[in-house]
Amino acid sequence: MGKLDKFIEVGRVAFIANGKDSGKVCAIAEIIDQNRVLIDGPCSGVRRQVCDMKRLHLTRFCIDLPHSARTAVVRRKWTAAKLDEKWKETSWAKKLEARRLRTNMSDFDRFKLARAKQIRNSIIALAAGKIRKEAKAKPNALRFRKPNKKRHIKKE
Amino acid sequence: MAPKAQKKPQGKQMAKSSAPHKPKNSAINASRLMKYSRARIFQRKAAYKVKKVKTPAKKSAEKAAAAAAFVVKKIGGDKNGGERKVYKKTPKSLPTQVASRKVQLRPKKTFKKHVRRIRSNLAPGAVLILLAGRHKGKRVVLLKQLESGLLLVTGPRKLNGCPLRRVSQRYVIGTKTRIDISKVALPERLNDAYFRRQRSAKKSAASAGGSADIFAKSDAAYAVSAERREDQAAVDKALMGAIKASGDGPMLRSYLRSLFSIKSGQRPHAMVF
């Protein structure tokens, strides 16, 4: 249970989690009743429609909307608040994009990724090996060893 | 049920008119029930006015006699009928009645006439993953679809050892990766006959004659023919050039050399190839 800081309110920017338009953000234009809201996302391709609150995941963004604002007004306020850029900068959106890229990788892309990882790991391994070698060459200096939790007992 | 009314009775010779052909008969419904019956169409077309032309006999009598399966021989005896048909080679059956031929409304299509389809994501230049056979797991380049419907692929041989080869669509995953092979000229002789498996001639003769030693091993080890080597070298050279010219040259080369496998956590049905 997190902080109760995000509320369903007119102007709240919400992420549609499932069903049609899933993955898109929209603004709440009106609250209908306990379970349903009227959403509108002209800049993100979401038609003005009734949506169940359970489908929405609230973001930390809120725009200044009069209630029952029509689509043109929502669009104006959205672009003024530069919400498209703000949303893309959030780590939430970045993680979604990373997940999307990963699932859409072709066989060749997967190969290139694996090869890139392999090259990176071999560079790391080589560098680590060098450090280890230099450390072994110095007999009296501090050597990297497993931390001994029982600090009062010296292990030789 | 009455047979379908024919639009043009056989043997008819029509005067060629410049006007476009307007059919006199038409179908009423989807199952081709015709508006006018055969008799009515005969009347409407005034086919009774048309003189029938006799087609001349194509074979002369002597040719017919030579081609016949039997020889007519005279025999003696008053009451024996005077003649007998002596068959040159006894036919399998000597029917006493003429067998009525069943009319094939939708005749069986021979293999040659089958429609060859190709999966939409397989186009020349696509990289394929072979799933079966001795080259399974290898990533190869699709060159074209042959007339039999099989796909012609090549490793290239230099990269993964797969030669110019035929492969069935069913045992292949088509990936999204494409190589531009528009500049690759495939030799004309690469067709199904070229790749057909050669049965050793000796064995077939022995089985026909029945006199040769059945235990004699007449199969020579498979030897690559000179034309195969030639074609492989030509195609691979052009293909390597195309790979080099494409954006991901070095990566593509190592990609084609690698083998495909499913790793832990990978779900093929959810993967994009």
Side-chain angles (χ1 to χ4, degrees):
Chain A
M1 281 295 248
K3 276 191 284 178
L4 292 173
D5 55 349
K6 296 180 201 147
F7 301 102
I8 295 261
E9 55 192 313
V10 174
R12 174 65 58 184
V13 175
F15 173 82
I16 303 169
N18 43 29
K20 193 171 176 279
D21 298 325
S22 61
K24 295 183 189 165
V25 280
C26 59
I28 293 175
E30 183 67 278
I31 298 169
I32 298 169
D33 63 12
Q34 191 181 300
N35 299 314
R36 296 176 301 158
V37 293
L38 182 71
I39 57 163
D40 202 350
C43 299
S44 51
V46 180
R47 268 221 179 156
R48 192 178 179 86
Q49 65 193 276
V50 170
C51 185
D52 214 276
M53 278 182 206
K54 286 190 175 171
R55 282 176 60 195
L56 299 175
H57 291 186
L58 304 178
T59 68
R60 62 183 165 85
F61 301 115
C62 199
I63 50 177
D64 180 28
L65 268 187
H67 81 107
S68 294
R70 64 175 211 278
T71 305
V73 173
V74 178
R75 185 182 288 122
R76 207 184 308 144
K77 302 273 185 183
W78 186 286
T79 46
K82 294 188 188 155
L83 270 172
D84 285 330
E85 294 153 36
K86 281 195 187 160
W87 168 246
K88 278 196 185 130
E89 281 164 19
T90 62
S91 57
W92 184 350
K94 284 182 189 164
K95 276 190 263 176
L96 286 173
E97 178 62 16
R99 203 185 301 160
R100 188 192 68 83
L101 283 171
R102 197 170 272 273
T103 50
N104 289 341
M105 271 200 290
S106 77
D107 190 52
F108 189 28
D109 294 333
R110 261 175 261 126
F111 172 81
K112 283 193 272 191
L113 180 69
R115 181 52 67 93
K117 273 191 183 171
Q118 185 193 32
I119 291 167
R120 185 195 67 171
N121 289 339
S122 62
I123 293 169
I124 293 171
L126 274 169
K130 255 192 200 162
I131 294 169
R132 225 176 285 129
K133 205 174 178 184
E134 282 164 21
K136 251 192 183 171
K138 299 179 194 169
N140 298 322
L142 269 170
R143 284 160 55 161
F144 177 78
R145 61 180 178 202
K146 252 169 79 173
N148 183 5
K149 285 187 183 163
K150 296 180 184 169
R151 281 179 226 275
H152 59 280
I153 302 167
K154 251 193 185 175
K155 261 196 173 172
E156 213 53 87
Chain B
M1 210 183 103
K4 272 189 268 179
Q6 291 171 1
K7 288 185 181 175
K8 279 189 184 172
Q10 279 163 342
K12 184 173 175 177
Q13 283 179 347
M14 284 173 86
K16 281 197 175 168
S17 56
S18 54
H21 170 63
K22 281 188 199 167
K24 287 214 184 282
N25 209 352
S26 56
I28 294 175
N29 62 10
S31 56
R32 304 287 295 165
L33 182 69
M34 304 308 273
K35 189 175 175 187
Y36 298 107
S37 67
R38 188 193 272 205
R40 273 305 279 135
I41 272 293
F42 189 85
Q43 291 289 321
R44 294 191 83 217
K45 284 184 175 175
Y48 48 83
K49 286 189 188 171
V50 175
K51 281 184 189 168
K52 285 186 187 164
V53 175
K54 263 192 180 174
T55 52
K58 285 183 181 167
K59 276 188 187 170
S60 64
E62 293 122 356
K63 274 191 187 172
F70 54 83
V71 174
V72 175
K73 284 192 174 170
K74 295 219 185 296
I75 56 165
D78 292 339
K79 301 171 189 177
N80 283 339
E83 288 182 339
R84 287 284 183 271
K85 279 185 200 170
V86 179
Y87 281 87
K88 289 179 188 170
K89 190 173 173 182
T90 325
K92 281 182 188 165
S93 77
L94 296 165
T96 52
Q97 292 172 311
V98 175
S100 58
R101 290 226 133 191
K102 192 175 172 182
V103 173
Q104 293 278 10
L105 290 169
R106 247 181 248 113
K108 266 192 255 183
K109 277 193 201 152
T110 53
F111 181 68
K112 270 192 198 163
K113 296 209 178 142
H114 285 179
V115 176
R116 263 80 192 186
R117 285 178 236 269
I118 191 164
R119 238 183 283 154
S120 54
N121 68 341
L122 301 179
V127 173
L128 313 175
I129 300 171
L130 300 182
L131 297 172
R134 57 173 50 219
H135 300 283
K136 57 177 166 275
K138 290 188 184 169
R139 292 165 169 123
V140 298
V141 180
L142 171 63
L143 296 172
K144 69 173 190 178
Q145 186 184 32
L146 299 170
E147 275 181 8
S148 65
L150 296 170
L151 308 175
L152 175 64
V153 299
T154 183
R157 191 162 175 275
K158 201 172 155 189
L159 295 180
N160 54 29
C162 180
L164 279 164
R165 201 171 203 270
R166 291 191 297 180
V167 130
S168 168
Q169 272 183 71
R170 286 275 166 213
Y171 298 100
V172 137
I173 293 178
T175 65
K176 282 160 84 175
T177 321
R178 295 259 186 282
I179 302 169
D180 180 15
I181 61 165
S182 51
K183 304 258 167 72
V184 175
L186 293 174
E188 286 293 318
R189 61 184 172 192
L190 292 180
N191 55 18
D192 286 299
Y194 182 89
F195 290 100
R196 205 187 156 88
R197 201 174 275 218
Q198 305 302 326
R199 302 282 171 208
S200 98
K202 278 189 204 169
K203 219 174 188 178
S204 54
S207 61
S211 55
D213 182 14
I214 52 171
F215 296 109
K217 284 197 175 176
S218 52
D219 295 324
Y222 170 71
V224 181
S225 67
E227 61 176 13
R228 284 267 186 141
R229 279 188 215 276
E230 202 185 296
D231 291 334
Q232 184 76 56
V235 172
D236 278 3
K237 188 173 177 199
L239 192 53
M240 292 298 277
I243 291 170
K244 201 173 184 182
S246 73
D248 280 309
M251 265 295 178
L252 249 181
R253 275 205 295 276
S254 43
Y255 174 59
L256 290 170
R257 294 184 78 194
S258 64
L259 287 175
F260 171 78
S261 65
I262 304 258
K263 315 272 191 306
S264 180
Q266 287 184 326
R267 297 172 298 165
H269 68 283
M271 282 159 68
V272 166
F273 286 98

